[in-house]
Amino acid sequence: MIFNIIKKEVKELLTRSTIISLIFVSFILGSIGNFVSKAEEGVSNRSANIIVDDKDSTELSEVFSSLLLKFSDKDFLEKSLDEKIKRLEKEGGAILILEKGFQDSILKGGKGDVKIEWVLKGIGLYDFISSDIIGNGLNYSKNDLTKYLLLKKGIKDENILEPLKLKNENVKVKGKVFKSVDPKLLYSFLGKQTNFVPVIIMMLLIMSGGMIISSMGMEKENKTLETLLTMPVERRDIVLGKIIGGGFVGIIMASIYMVGFYNYMKGFKGFISNSFDIKVFSILDYTFIGVSIFLSLLSGLSLCLLLGIFAKDYKSAQTLTMPVSILALIPFFLTMFRDFDSLSLPLKVIVFLIPFSHPMMSLKLIFFEQYRMLFYGIAYNLLFFILLSIILVKIFNTDYIITGKGFEKLFKRRFF
Amino acid sequence: MEVVKVENLQKNFGKVEALRGISFECFKGEIFGLIGPNGAGKSTCLRILSTILSKSGGEVKIFDYDISKKMEIKKIISYLPEDAGAYKNLKGIDYLKFFVNFFIDGKDREKTLEYGIELSSLNERLNDKIETYSKGMVRRLLIARSLMVEPKLAILDEPTSGLDVINATQIRDIIKKKAKEGTTFIVSSHNMLEVDYLCDRISLINNGLIVESGNIGKLKEKYKAQNIEEIFVKVVGVKNDF
Ligand SMILES: Nc1ncnc2c1ncn2[C@@H]1O[C@H](COP(=O)(O)OP(=O)(O)OP(=O)(O)O)[C@@H](O)[C@H]1O
Ligand SMILES: [Mg+2]
């Protein structure tokens, strides 16, 4: 008997739409995995753009510099200095400066000065790979230098175990310069800051998007939609009312979560923020972020309402939430790994077209004063919302909203 | 005075011909019954009359408005879908308030709402969430919703189906009372007893076509029948499932 029940449950739960959305999910997860493994490949390649500026020109400094250059990209090494600097600016890397007196201080039992000028392509996870490679390279080279001092020079002083004094000079990212800071610290600070907004967007979307879809499913199941459609109101008002109502509830729920998240974040913030100066956001900047979030939310909700129209009842509505969450996950991960400007063109297009990307990127964009991109995003979201609303009102004006059929008719007619 | 005039109305859902050219009219203050078996096309017809489905052909006029004048028509009609539910998370009273706000502005809202409360006869239960209501209570709430705004035309799709005798009688009495006050009703049903009790005139619909129309008493005479079921059988020629 139990098998009969199991069979019915499986049949009911494993519908075509669940399977399709599952396939979609696994496809997306697969491509994200691909992206990650590529990133890891980058790390194991163990080569980065390294320029060594040897101001000491002594035996030791030359040995050390050749040790370091083993970690440099082979292509890169063969370029002229001008080209190297150009490529460094474009792709990121570092200039390592061996200061005058490098050899002298080491031989006297002191430490050789090495200054590092970092150049980063962006502040995504992926963009910090080259600084990781260079950091590791410095470590390995230091050990080899110690070996060299021990075996070739016969020095047995314990000071040679730490023969270097490293100094992080500047970190240059997209024309912005952070003074005397370790790239790792910069990442942990900026990363946490800029991942804050994406998390909120995800929460907002999944909460209020899910709500609006199931509300449509419920309206159909209870036939309240039919009643509503016979009320003397414009269909436009019904559509907008649903979207804005959903957005309002979403904002309330998200702010409750945000309080918790903010307190969690506070733990990390304090001790780093005064260690280097960081762009202070103006009220206008916060307004831009707010506008971006709001428009993206409206876009998301209109998308959800569109999906909700396909829901026959409350249950089928539940599975429809999935594609929207996935759509939000794509820019969430992509912008976490890389900055928008260091994505490949197809990825750029995809990320731009997903209406949830723009507020997710907004903090970074403002941070690097890329306001134009920010405005493009806001304009795109506005356009997306208006267009989708028009389509929604059109659909609300057809039989489709009641029967779930007659879609062809919608397309036969002139659209706008 | 003609309140509704339907002429050669057709409706296709893809290949399915739900209505194949029906015509009828209703007059002010009468209760008009659209009677037929399952799948005959009753709901389809009522949905077109209440502007939520488009027609595939023919003419429909409501109070001299062509059916394409949706906004004007919606202001004077009320529609009760078959098997309708209500917003489960709302309280009964809030459900009524929600719909009052669509029609009436300002001072009259209170009065309309009070009338809705009276019609529902749910008393203090109106302050409970609708999810706690029985089927009969929900139906009374919906009837109250559709009649409190004093529509000129009320379109009720099987208003009493699935209700017990007592609940059904209550609702029929409300409909009769409102009709006496001048409201025009179109109701669909496949409960022949109800139709006999409730309606003044009926149209028998079968398979998307109206097969007979008229005053119930006269139809009984014409077909020498005891009840409507018998009339239907005689008209259609075979015994249908009601
Ligand atoms: N959305 C739809 N898509 C396709 N066919 C439909 C649709 N709605 C109704 N029909 C078809 O139209 C015909 C009339 O249906 P309708 O619901 O109007 O019947 P009804 O008289 O109200 O029946 P019932 O007494 O069961 O409520 C049926 O054959 C039905 O299958
Ligand atoms: Mg029906």
Side-chain angles (χ1 to χ4, degrees), chain A residues 403 405, chain B residues 13 16 18 37-44 82 158 190:
Chain A
T403 63
K405 286 202 183 106
Chain B
F13 296 106
V16 181
N38 292 126
K42 305 181 294 291
S43 299
T44 305
E82 68 185 324
E158 308 198 14
H190 42 215

Short mmCIF file of all heavy atoms in Angstrom, two decimals, chain A residues 403 405, chain B residues 13 16 18 37-44 82 158 190, ligand 1:
data_model
loop_
_atom_site.label_atom_id
_atom_site.label_comp_id
_atom_site.label_asym_id
_atom_site.label_seq_id
_atom_site.Cartn_x
_atom_site.Cartn_y
_atom_site.Cartn_z
N THR A 403 -7.68 31.66 -18.95
CA THR A 403 -7.72 30.30 -19.50
C THR A 403 -6.36 29.64 -19.54
O THR A 403 -6.26 28.42 -19.58
CB THR A 403 -8.24 30.31 -20.94
OG1 THR A 403 -7.31 31.06 -21.73
CG2 THR A 403 -9.59 30.94 -21.04
N LYS A 405 -4.71 29.83 -22.03
CA LYS A 405 -4.55 29.49 -23.45
C LYS A 405 -4.73 30.75 -24.30
O LYS A 405 -4.99 31.81 -23.80
CB LYS A 405 -5.59 28.46 -23.86
CG LYS A 405 -5.25 27.09 -23.33
CD LYS A 405 -5.93 26.01 -24.13
CE LYS A 405 -5.61 24.65 -23.52
NZ LYS A 405 -6.72 24.07 -22.79
N PHE B 13 -12.28 27.93 -27.91
CA PHE B 13 -10.98 27.77 -27.24
C PHE B 13 -10.16 26.88 -28.16
O PHE B 13 -10.25 25.67 -28.09
CB PHE B 13 -11.13 27.08 -25.89
CG PHE B 13 -11.93 27.86 -24.89
CD1 PHE B 13 -13.22 27.49 -24.56
CD2 PHE B 13 -11.37 28.97 -24.26
CE1 PHE B 13 -13.95 28.20 -23.63
CE2 PHE B 13 -12.10 29.69 -23.33
CZ PHE B 13 -13.40 29.31 -23.01
N VAL B 16 -11.89 23.80 -29.60
CA VAL B 16 -13.14 23.55 -28.87
C VAL B 16 -14.13 24.69 -29.11
O VAL B 16 -13.82 25.85 -28.85
CB VAL B 16 -12.87 23.43 -27.35
CG1 VAL B 16 -14.17 23.14 -26.61
CG2 VAL B 16 -11.84 22.35 -27.08
N ALA B 18 -16.95 26.24 -27.63
CA ALA B 18 -17.69 26.22 -26.38
C ALA B 18 -19.07 26.84 -26.55
O ALA B 18 -20.05 26.37 -25.98
CB ALA B 18 -16.91 26.96 -25.30
N PRO B 37 -26.27 20.93 -18.79
CA PRO B 37 -25.38 19.94 -18.16
C PRO B 37 -23.94 20.44 -18.11
O PRO B 37 -23.63 21.50 -18.64
CB PRO B 37 -25.50 18.73 -19.07
CG PRO B 37 -25.87 19.29 -20.40
CD PRO B 37 -26.69 20.50 -20.13
N ASN B 38 -23.07 19.64 -17.51
CA ASN B 38 -21.65 19.99 -17.43
C ASN B 38 -21.07 20.18 -18.82
O ASN B 38 -21.36 19.40 -19.73
CB ASN B 38 -20.85 18.90 -16.72
CG ASN B 38 -21.19 18.79 -15.25
OD1 ASN B 38 -21.53 17.72 -14.76
ND2 ASN B 38 -21.13 19.90 -14.55
N GLY B 39 -20.28 21.23 -18.96
CA GLY B 39 -19.60 21.45 -20.24
C GLY B 39 -20.49 22.05 -21.31
O GLY B 39 -20.08 22.17 -22.46
N ALA B 40 -21.71 22.46 -20.95
CA ALA B 40 -22.63 23.00 -21.94
C ALA B 40 -22.18 24.36 -22.45
O ALA B 40 -22.47 24.74 -23.58
CB ALA B 40 -24.03 23.11 -21.35
N GLY B 41 -21.46 25.12 -21.60
CA GLY B 41 -20.99 26.45 -21.99
C GLY B 41 -21.53 27.55 -21.11
O GLY B 41 -21.39 28.73 -21.44
N LYS B 42 -22.12 27.17 -19.97
CA LYS B 42 -22.70 28.18 -19.09
C LYS B 42 -21.64 29.15 -18.56
O LYS B 42 -21.77 30.37 -18.71
CB LYS B 42 -23.39 27.50 -17.89
CG LYS B 42 -24.43 26.46 -18.26
CD LYS B 42 -25.09 25.86 -17.04
CE LYS B 42 -24.16 25.04 -16.17
NZ LYS B 42 -23.71 23.77 -16.78
N SER B 43 -20.59 28.59 -17.97
CA SER B 43 -19.57 29.46 -17.38
C SER B 43 -18.92 30.32 -18.44
O SER B 43 -18.63 31.50 -18.21
CB SER B 43 -18.50 28.62 -16.68
OG SER B 43 -19.09 27.87 -15.65
N THR B 44 -18.67 29.74 -19.59
CA THR B 44 -18.05 30.50 -20.67
C THR B 44 -18.90 31.72 -21.02
O THR B 44 -18.40 32.84 -21.14
CB THR B 44 -17.89 29.61 -21.91
OG1 THR B 44 -17.16 28.45 -21.53
CG2 THR B 44 -17.15 30.33 -23.00
N GLU B 82 -17.77 30.49 -10.48
CA GLU B 82 -18.14 29.21 -9.87
C GLU B 82 -16.96 28.73 -9.02
O GLU B 82 -15.81 29.06 -9.29
CB GLU B 82 -18.50 28.16 -10.94
CG GLU B 82 -17.35 27.70 -11.81
CD GLU B 82 -17.80 26.77 -12.92
OE1 GLU B 82 -18.71 25.96 -12.70
OE2 GLU B 82 -17.22 26.84 -14.02
N GLU B 158 -23.47 29.35 -10.69
CA GLU B 158 -23.82 28.31 -9.73
C GLU B 158 -23.67 28.79 -8.29
O GLU B 158 -22.84 28.29 -7.55
CB GLU B 158 -22.95 27.07 -9.97
CG GLU B 158 -23.02 26.65 -11.43
CD GLU B 158 -22.58 25.23 -11.66
OE1 GLU B 158 -22.46 24.48 -10.68
OE2 GLU B 158 -22.39 24.87 -12.83
N HIS B 190 -27.23 23.69 -12.59
CA HIS B 190 -27.77 22.44 -13.09
C HIS B 190 -28.63 21.75 -12.04
O HIS B 190 -28.91 20.59 -12.13
CB HIS B 190 -26.71 21.50 -13.69
CG HIS B 190 -25.45 21.40 -12.91
ND1 HIS B 190 -24.25 21.25 -13.52
CD2 HIS B 190 -25.21 21.47 -11.61
CE1 HIS B 190 -23.31 21.21 -12.59
NE2 HIS B 190 -23.87 21.33 -11.44
N1 LIG C 1 -9.93 27.43 -20.89
C1 LIG C 1 -10.49 26.53 -21.67
N2 LIG C 1 -9.78 25.93 -22.62
C2 LIG C 1 -10.34 25.03 -23.44
N3 LIG C 1 -11.59 24.65 -23.37
C3 LIG C 1 -12.37 25.21 -22.42
C4 LIG C 1 -11.86 26.17 -21.53
N4 LIG C 1 -12.85 26.55 -20.70
C5 LIG C 1 -13.93 25.84 -21.08
N5 LIG C 1 -13.64 25.04 -22.11
C6 LIG C 1 -14.54 24.13 -22.79
O1 LIG C 1 -15.72 24.84 -23.13
C7 LIG C 1 -16.86 24.05 -22.92
C8 LIG C 1 -17.82 24.77 -22.01
O2 LIG C 1 -17.24 24.89 -20.74
P1 LIG C 1 -17.96 25.65 -19.54
O3 LIG C 1 -17.02 25.72 -18.41
O4 LIG C 1 -18.51 26.91 -20.06
O5 LIG C 1 -19.15 24.64 -19.19
P2 LIG C 1 -20.23 24.76 -18.05
O6 LIG C 1 -21.54 24.74 -18.71
O7 LIG C 1 -19.95 25.89 -17.15
O8 LIG C 1 -20.03 23.39 -17.29
P3 LIG C 1 -20.10 23.08 -15.72
O9 LIG C 1 -21.52 22.83 -15.40
O10 LIG C 1 -19.30 21.83 -15.58
O11 LIG C 1 -19.53 24.22 -14.99
C9 LIG C 1 -16.36 22.71 -22.38
O12 LIG C 1 -16.32 21.80 -23.44
C10 LIG C 1 -14.98 23.02 -21.88
O13 LIG C 1 -14.16 21.90 -22.03
#
